[in-house]
Amino acid sequence: MGNTIKTTLLLGLLTGLLVALGSAVGGRGGMILAFGLAIVMNVGSYWFSDRIVLAMYRARELGADEHPELHRMIRRIAQAGNLPTPRLFVVPQPGLNAFATGRNPEHAVVAVTEGLLAHLDGPELEGVLAHELAHVKNRDILVGAIAATLAGAIMLIADMARWASIFGGFGGRDGEERGNPIALLVAAIVAPLAALLVQMAISRSREYLADATGARMVGGGEGLARALAKLASAGKVLPTAGPAAANHVLIVSPLSGGGLFSLFSTHPPIEERIKRLRGFQRGA
């Protein structure tokens, strides 16, 4: 299944969870209120995403005379992707990582760590920059904001459902039967967990899509594949320091694990990403 189709279906599933939970609580008013609050919170974070994330990582903007080859590289990739050239920032950390942010391509920012600049060669760095610009091209920050809005609304309604279960459910309109308190409690527990799983699945799907889009922008996936291998290896020794809430923006997550943990991961397994990128190279 294509990553774009998968993302659309997952967003539809989140919407369905929202509607179903609202019905379980027993009224449209609470659902609309929770949805409105979630929109306000997430629109704010989306609109100011660049300032928030850059401040979290204490990133500073690179001057035009700093790392001139990096500036030339980002301009070349942006031109290949038919995108405006983003502003470049550097994160003062020895770990190897990168991220993109900004509410649209005209306000995009790409940031790389000092460690990344020191340890990647030209094709590897090009692959990382292309991946980040692919996130900008694919509007992944907007997709993430929509997913967060829906998931946030589900969690707010779940809180209402927990209170409703204590008092036997909210009264329905026009004498409708009150909600079953046990069903409400189950919905309040299951729905937020399901929403989190779907939100993480959307994030992983967008990472795969950014890998593929970035590989097309630079004519192959080998550079990014080699870079991901280096980033994964370095991350075991020197993970990128930062708030857990911002891990999803990084090209590789500082957290790792398998089994059930992978269901809650914002990133797909590095090994699978490398395999797909090298498959793209062979199929080019």
Side-chain angles (χ1 to χ4, degrees):
M1 183 186 299
N3 285 299
T4 300
I5 296 173
K6 183 178 179 181
T7 299
T8 303
L9 292 175
L10 288 169
L11 286 172
L13 181 55
L14 274 178
T15 303
L17 279 170
L18 176 63
V19 173
L21 185 58
S23 298
V25 171
R28 293 181 182 177
M31 182 175 68
I32 292 171
L33 175 61
F35 189 60
L37 288 173
I39 288 176
V40 170
M41 290 187 295
N42 285 285
V43 164
S45 64
Y46 166 70
W47 193 261
F48 299 106
S49 60
D50 52 347
R51 300 180 194 178
I52 294 170
V53 178
L54 291 170
M56 284 178 174
Y57 287 101
R58 295 183 297 148
R60 68 171 182 85
E61 188 165 7
L62 282 174
D65 57 339
E66 296 181 89
H67 296 280
E69 180 56 32
L70 188 68
H71 285 282
R72 286 192 291 270
M73 192 179 290
I74 199 76
R75 283 195 298 268
R76 186 170 64 248
I77 300 169
Q79 185 176 15
N82 195 28
L83 291 165
T85 302
R87 295 158 64 199
L88 276 173
F89 282 71
V90 64
V91 176
Q93 289 198 37
L96 278 61
N97 230 311
F99 63 84
T101 186
R103 64 184 182 273
N104 55 40
E106 289 71 30
H107 296 86
V109 168
V110 172
V112 296
T113 61
E114 291 176 344
L116 193 84
L117 293 176
H119 291 93
L120 296 193
D121 62 26
E124 293 164 353
L125 186 56
E126 182 182 60
V128 168
L129 293 178
H131 172 95
E132 297 306 332
L133 276 174
H135 277 308
V136 175
K137 186 177 181 68
N138 295 335
R139 304 280 182 154
D140 286 334
I141 297 163
L142 176 59
V143 172
I146 293 171
T149 296
L150 292 170
I154 288 168
M155 291 173 188
L156 285 170
I157 296 174
D159 282 338
M160 295 170 57
R162 280 191 287 272
W163 283 106
S165 67
I166 296 172
F167 298 104
F170 294 125
R173 288 174 51 188
D174 301 326
E176 291 176 1
E177 186 178 343
R178 286 175 176 266
N180 184 309
I182 296 177
L184 282 174
L185 184 59
V186 171
I189 295 170
V190 173
L193 178 61
L196 180 60
L197 290 173
V198 173
Q199 189 180 6
M200 296 302 97
I202 290 171
S203 178
R204 292 192 295 272
S205 180
R206 303 311 288 185
E207 287 299 320
Y208 280 134
L209 182 59
D211 285 346
T213 302
R216 284 192 292 271
M217 288 165 67
V218 296
E222 181 59 28
L224 179 56
R226 295 204 323 259
L228 289 175
K230 283 188 178 180
L231 268 62
S233 178
K236 295 175 183 177
V237 180
L238 195 64
T240 304
N247 284 346
H248 66 284
V249 305
L250 300 172
I251 188 170
V252 294
S253 174
L255 304 175
S256 62
L260 287 176
F261 182 89
S262 63
L263 293 175
F264 296 93
S265 175
T266 56
H267 291 65
I270 290 288
E271 297 79 7
E272 180 61 24
R273 293 174 69 183
I274 292 172
K275 179 181 176 181
R276 293 189 184 199
L277 284 164
R278 288 184 167 146
F280 176 91
Q281 181 76 10
R282 288 192 297 272

